[in-house]
Each structure stands twice: as structure tokens, then as C-alpha cells.
Amino acid sequence: MAGFVVRRLAQLLPMLLGASLLIFAVIRLAPGDPYSGLIDPRMDPVKVAELRQRHCLDCPLPQQYWRWLSNALRGDLGTSIRFRVPVAELIGDRLGPSLALGVTAESIALLAGIPFGILAAVRRGTWVDTAVTAVALGGLAIPAFFFGLLLLRWLSLGGLQILPSAGFTTPGTQLTGLPLFLDAARHLILPATALGVTSIAGLMSHVRAALLEVLQQDYLRTARAKGLPERVVLYRHALRNALIPVVTLLGLNLPGILGGAIITESIFLWPGIGRLTYTALLERDYPVLMALNLMFAGLTLLGSLLADIGYAAVDPRVRFE
């Protein structure tokens, strides 16, 4: 296993290099640049030319890429054209809120999706299975942003008005310690619920389908014939094998924990990576877009590696040489 992990880690660098080249090409080949639509038309063209020259936007594309890559290898991701602060500092400030939102939403999905999936599989063909499957299909049909708007209407802006509608903390307050944590937790409830509840349906469907397939295996009939309690057969022998596709899903969800909530973060004005990505896209903030997309590519590769490691953890038959 150790050799496998080392080999996979060694493959990350060339794969990230190829990803950075592809991302750079896609971003820079789009028409226009950050100064195409934002600058006051009355601004002196000489000043505009100086700004483009300062960011090397009028250099040949290979030269631009080499300049970005050489700086990135030295740990310098550049300066945001929109916010005029170092990109690393900008992303670092947004990581905490995005991590809190992503982990909370994923926890909601796991805590509800896996038990409901098991329940639907064990009670296959009954009204319980029908009800859970119907709710799951409804959840798959509702986008997270639309469910978020409904939550805003019911619990914040109208209806009960018991939860804050936007932001990470209450503006104008100087809270610290536990009061700050509780205030942030209240602001977290709506966006995390919007993301987590709409993710339950997909996870539940994967668990149900995988468990139904495993429950038909001969080794489970043998376990029952030996007199093992149904609880032991289900949770010790069937569920571990049924979780393999779930592990794959969770591994590939790793980038989504940080940057998969672009619209939801924008709706709730959540100061996270998703909202930063949306702003950088709108304003063609090249340094920020390059750094964010490279981070997402790295997280995708890391998630794939963690999924492979997870296979061996849930299924003892899996071994990597």
C-alpha cells in the first residue's frame, strides 16, 4: 500500500502540470481580458496599455504561461486584478467559510443518505421503500439553489423569520469566542441545509442500489444459513462491500466540498471559494482563476487517491501492489 501511495503521489505533479497548461489555454483563449469591459471608456488608452503591460497581458501566450508557472513554482500565485491582494492570501481568507459549509453539508448528506439507503434496500418492495425512493426522486429534481431560495422565503425573509438570510456573521458586531461561533453557526444553517438536503437523494440512491446488489450474493446466504443474526449479516458482511461505490462518490466529491457551491454561496452571500470563483469568472481575474482551477484539479486527483485507499479499508479483498 505504501508503494502504491508513493507512486500515485509522484504522478500528481505531471498531471497537475498538464492540467495547468490546459486551464491556462482555455482561460486565455477566450476573447477579451480583465480590462475589456471594466475600465471606464473615458480612461486614457495609454493608462490601459500600461495596466495590460504590468500584468503581461500583451505578451505572447507561451511567455505568459511560463511567467505564471515559474512564479507558481516559487509559491507566488500572483496578485488579484480585481481585489489587488495576493491570490494566496485571498484564497486563504475564503477557505475557512467554504470548508465549514462543505463539511457541514456533506455531514448532513452522509448522516441521512446512508441510513435511508439501507432502510430502502432492506425494506425493498414495501411502502417504506416506495416513500423513501419518492422523496429521493423529489430531492434529485430540486436544484440546491432553488431549495435555498425556498428556505430563504420560509425561514428568513418571509414566514418564520428565525434565521439570518446572508453573510458569515452579523454585520457590525464584534463577537469573539463562543458568541462568534454561535452567530456563525446560525448563518451556516440555511446554506448548509440547502446543499446537504439536496445531496441526500443521490447518496441514498447509490447506497440502496449497491446494497440491493450485495444482498443477492451467495456468501450472504451462507452467512444466514450459519445462523448469524440478520443485523450481523447486514452491517458486518453486506454494508462494507456495498460502500465501495459510495467511497468513490465521496472521493470525487472532495473538490465540491470547497468549490462546488458557487450559486448557493452567491445566493446566501457566503464569503467562500465558490463565490470567489463566480466573481473571478465574471471579471476575468486570470491569476485567481488559474489558482482556483489548479486547486480544484489537485483536489480531484487527491480525492481519487483517497477513494483508492478507502477501497482497501472497506473491502479486505482489495490490495494494491
Side-chain angles (χ1 to χ4, degrees):
M1 174 62 79
F4 169 78
V5 173
V6 171
R7 287 196 302 274
R8 288 292 300 271
L9 289 175
Q11 295 170 357
L12 289 181
L13 185 58
M15 295 175 76
L16 282 177
L17 185 63
S20 71
L21 182 59
L22 181 61
I23 293 167
F24 179 86
V26 170
I27 292 176
R28 292 301 177 94
L29 290 178
D33 60 43
Y35 299 107
S36 298
L38 298 178
I39 291 181
D40 187 341
R42 296 168 296 181
M43 192 172 180
D44 186 356
V46 176
K47 182 64 176 177
V48 176
E50 289 178 358
L51 289 172
R52 286 197 170 100
Q53 185 177 13
R54 181 187 305 171
H55 294 283
C56 197
L57 296 176
D58 52 357
C59 300
L61 289 181
Q63 182 180 345
Q64 292 185 42
Y65 177 72
W66 175 248
R67 176 179 171 173
W68 175 84
L69 181 62
S70 56
N71 288 334
L73 291 176
R74 292 196 296 269
D76 180 9
L77 296 175
T79 301
S80 167
I81 297 174
R82 165 68 174 80
F83 297 97
R84 300 183 180 180
V85 297
V87 173
E89 178 183 333
L90 189 62
I91 293 177
D93 291 341
R94 308 297 182 100
L95 275 179
S98 272
L99 199 59
L101 176 59
V103 170
T104 305
E106 199 70 24
S107 299
I108 292 173
L110 286 173
L111 291 176
I114 292 179
F116 280 131
I118 295 173
L119 182 64
V122 172
R123 303 291 181 86
R124 181 185 184 185
T126 66
W127 69 268
V128 175
D129 182 24
T130 304
V132 172
T133 302
V135 172
L137 291 175
L140 286 173
I142 301 177
F145 77 88
F146 183 72
F147 187 56
L149 292 174
L150 292 178
L151 292 176
L152 275 177
R153 176 67 181 83
W154 293 335
L155 301 177
S156 181
L157 300 178
L160 299 179
Q161 298 185 3
I162 56 175
L163 290 171
S165 61
F168 185 63
T169 56
T170 303
T173 58
Q174 302 293 329
L175 301 175
T176 58
L178 182 60
L180 175 62
F181 173 78
L182 294 177
D183 187 49
R186 289 186 70 243
H187 285 77
L188 181 63
I189 292 175
L190 288 184
T193 303
L195 283 175
V197 169
T198 52
S199 300
I200 291 174
L203 184 60
M204 191 221 76
S205 299
H206 279 85
V207 173
R208 178 183 180 276
L211 191 55
L212 283 176
E213 182 179 351
V214 171
L215 287 174
Q216 306 301 319
Q217 300 297 317
D218 292 337
Y219 71 92
L220 291 184
R221 296 192 186 95
T222 303
R224 292 190 179 97
K226 290 169 62 178
L228 291 178
E230 187 62 25
R231 176 173 53 83
V232 175
V233 173
L234 177 63
Y235 291 104
R236 181 177 298 178
H237 298 287
L239 187 58
R240 289 187 64 173
N241 291 329
L243 286 180
I244 290 179
V246 178
V247 169
T248 305
L249 187 66
L250 294 178
L252 297 179
N253 273 350
L254 185 59
I257 290 178
L258 285 180
I262 293 178
I263 299 178
T264 304
E265 286 190 2
S266 299
I267 290 175
F268 291 98
L269 301 181
W270 190 257
I273 295 294
R275 192 175 167 206
L276 176 63
T277 305
Y278 180 70
T279 304
L281 279 171
L282 287 181
E283 305 193 8
R284 300 183 184 184
D285 197 339
Y286 291 156
V288 177
L289 284 176
M290 283 297 298
L292 288 175
N293 281 289
L294 194 62
M295 182 182 75
F296 295 146
L299 287 174
T300 301
L301 296 175
L302 182 62
S304 175
L305 173 61
L306 292 177
D308 286 340
I309 296 174
Y311 292 158
V314 300
D315 188 349
R317 297 171 300 176
V318 176
R319 289 289 182 268
F320 297 104
E321 299 298 334

